[in-house]
Amino acid sequence: MSDRLPGFSTLAVHAGAQPDPTTGARATPIYQTTSFVFNDADHAASLFGLQAFGNIYTRIGNPTNAVLEERVAALEGGTAALAVASGHAAQVVVLQQLLQPGDEFIAARKLYGGSINQFTHAFKSFGWNVVWADSDDIASFERAVTPRTKAIFIESIANPGGSITDIEAISTVARKAGVPLIVDNTLASPYLIRPIDHGADIVVHSLTKFLGGHGNSLGGIIVDAGTFDWSTGGKYPMLSEPRPEYHGIRLQETFGNFAFAIACRVLGLRDLGPALSPFNAFMILTGIETLPLRMQKHCDNAKAVAEFLAGHPAVASVSYAGLANDKYNQLARKYAPKGAGAVFTFSLKGGYDAGVSLVSKLQLFSHLANVGDTRSLVIHPASTTHSQLDDAAKVKSGAGPDVVRLSIGIEDKEDLIADLEQALGA
Ligand SMILES: *Cc1c(COP(=O)(O)O)cnc(C)c1O
């Protein structure tokens, strides 16, 4: 082997995987088993006490999932990762390590609709309070900081309008406040943006989207950048204080720069239980092998479709950061030079009714609530993903009544444009 560091595409195919030591299988096997036999009683005791790493029970870890974890950690440039059952599960597990009841976290208002719901309602019942800020106004994050703030949460490319977030500026606010920056990197994938390179301390993904990439398997992942010092000021007792579940060990002291990933596994996943099926881990790993190829095609197609829409007489505006005159184009050039992603919105001169009519006339685009599939997808956020918001909040989060969201697939761009043309024109 040369001592060259492998590039992104090589890591996407190989990171974390070895031929199976028992059978020689080259593709990562699906270890479809709930539990694993111990070598002897001492081995069992050391696994349970966190003195040794190894497999115990698939709710805590599984060899197929471990390959996925190592691969995504490598692609994101983190120290370790933890795979879980869905993107939402990743968000719960992350915040459970950081917040006590009565604590706060700051979140950008432009977010996946499901995350707005989760933060506003489900987390309130845990005593975790979300404080909203506006990623177009960095000072709004600073103003939101209080002594109870424990984290800042943003999306790198934000739903639904595909806007680009100034990760470095918000990371500066997080540093000053002494709290970790969590970046949901779902819409960008590490192929387009690696948030850790820009100051993120924790990266989360819905693997369901571009990483899996084929619209067939749910999953989520948490990547630990290894950058945050959890011992300061007793703010993060899950990491800094002795854990009664594990003979009084302190996770930060014992595990150093991957303590957060360990906490998520042994305190979050073990006790909350949202384990990823090894079958889904296998499907998502297979998807990741072609991530660089797919993502480039997604972006190139998205740019062509956005340009077509921008020139169409029925279209009032297009919000795609890859367009030269877009508000976020400067940020896109800095953070996502290979492409501005494949999820974006546009608005129709005919308003709500025109949006509903368009969605019903499209044939190649599937009308459904997902993004990041090989297939092109369309949805009207105001009546679906963002329907729980009031009108003002809809507009603020980029999901006004006249807005249609597209997730551009990897079909031939000419066919996508022809489908939009017939649906807009007829
Ligand atoms: C889909 C999505 C989620 C939630 O992920 P699930 O896998 O559906 O739980 C979170 N964030 C973003 C940006 C998403 O697109």
Side-chain angles (χ1 to χ4, degrees):
M1 286 288 271
S2 75
D3 50 11
R4 222 188 104 76
L5 287 175
F8 190 91
S9 296
T10 304
L11 292 173
V13 174
H14 290 284
Q18 308 282 334
D20 184 66
T22 325
T23 62
R26 181 64 266 213
T28 297
I30 303 169
Y31 287 95
Q32 190 69 21
T33 180
T34 55
S35 28
F36 302 85
V37 176
F38 305 120
N39 301 341
D40 54 39
D42 285 347
H43 178 225
S46 66
L47 289 176
F48 272 88
L50 295 183
Q51 284 104 15
F53 287 113
N55 299 305
I56 300 176
Y57 185 66
T58 284
R59 171 154 44 72
I60 310 168
N62 173 283
T64 311
N65 300 20
V67 176
L68 173 63
E69 287 158 352
E70 221 179 293
R71 187 159 306 171
V72 176
L75 294 176
E76 287 285 7
T79 53
L82 176 71
V84 294
S86 69
H88 268 12
Q91 294 169 190
V92 180
V93 168
V94 161
L95 289 171
Q96 188 219 5
Q97 311 320 311
L98 303 179
L99 272 73
Q100 303 291 313
D103 282 345
E104 295 169 3
F105 68 107
I106 302 169
R109 201 175 269 112
K110 280 202 196 101
L111 283 189
Y112 175 67
S115 300
I116 297 178
N117 243 355
Q118 185 191 45
F119 294 178
T120 308
H121 303 294
F123 286 179
K124 194 184 260 171
S125 70
F126 303 165
W128 305 343
N129 300 311
V130 61
V131 180
W132 300 107
D134 177 357
S135 26
D136 296 336
D137 172 15
I138 302 299
S140 71
F141 284 84
E142 273 173 277
R143 288 195 301 273
V145 174
T146 77
R148 301 223 68 157
T149 305
K150 294 297 175 70
I152 298 180
F153 188 103
I154 58 174
E155 290 179 0
S156 52
I157 298 183
N159 241 304
S163 59
I164 311 284
T165 307
D166 191 346
I167 303 171
E168 286 172 16
I170 297 172
S171 128
T172 303
V173 177
R175 290 264 135 93
K176 234 170 92 190
V179 303
L181 175 64
I182 306 162
V183 178
D184 180 340
N185 199 32
T186 299
L187 292 196
S189 89
Y191 175 74
L192 296 179
I193 301 178
R194 298 209 320 166
I196 293 171
D197 296 345
H198 302 289
D201 300 293
I202 297 160
V203 174
V204 292
H205 276 280
S206 169
L207 297 170
T208 316
K209 314 295 170 52
F210 291 99
L211 285 171
H214 294 72
N216 56 27
S217 309
L218 262 89
I221 203 157
I222 299 157
V223 182
D224 183 354
T227 43
F228 197 84
D229 179 1
W230 304 104
S231 62
T232 48
K235 247 167 135 172
Y236 300 100
M238 296 284 272
L239 288 123
S240 63
E241 297 309 304
R243 293 312 308 176
E245 305 92 326
Y246 292 105
H247 313 299
I249 69 169
R250 297 170 196 264
L251 295 179
Q252 154 109 35
E253 195 178 277
T254 309
F255 298 107
N257 71 356
F258 57 100
F260 187 76
I262 296 281
C264 288
R265 185 186 303 281
V266 305
L267 304 177
L269 182 59
R270 187 195 73 158
D271 294 347
L272 300 177
L276 178 69
S277 148
F279 181 82
N280 281 18
F282 170 84
M283 295 299 283
I284 293 161
L285 268 173
T286 304
I288 289 174
E289 292 179 7
T290 57
L291 174 72
L293 300 171
R294 285 186 291 105
M295 212 62 212
Q296 193 61 57
K297 176 95 173 176
H298 278 295
C299 289
D300 296 348
N301 279 357
K303 183 150 192 269
V305 170
E307 280 166 354
F308 161 76
L309 289 170
H312 196 283
V315 173
S317 66
V318 179
S319 165
Y320 182 60
L323 294 178
N325 62 355
D326 191 82
K327 183 176 165 191
Y328 298 99
N329 191 251
Q330 280 300 104
L331 287 169
R333 283 169 195 273
K334 171 172 177 177
Y335 286 102
K338 292 198 283 274
V343 177
F344 66 94
T345 53
F346 65 101
S347 68
L348 287 159
K349 288 180 183 157
Y352 186 95
D353 293 339
V356 171
S357 153
L358 174 82
V359 162
S360 66
K361 284 182 187 143
L362 284 167
Q363 289 163 1
L364 192 53
F365 282 78
S366 304
H367 179 206
L368 54 75
N370 191 23
V371 296
D373 194 326
T374 50
R375 286 154 277 263
S376 289
L377 315 174
V378 62
I379 201 161
H380 179 230
S383 59
T384 54
T385 54
H386 289 64
S387 63
Q388 74 281 357
L389 303 179
D390 62 39
D391 285 351
K394 274 183 189 133
V395 172
K396 267 194 182 154
S397 64
D402 53 338
V403 169
V404 174
R405 185 186 74 187
L406 300 179
S407 173
I408 301 298
I410 59 173
E411 303 96 333
D412 289 309
K413 61 178 188 283
E414 294 80 6
D415 293 328
L416 300 175
I417 289 170
D419 193 28
L420 283 161
E421 194 155 39
Q422 67 77 19
L424 283 168

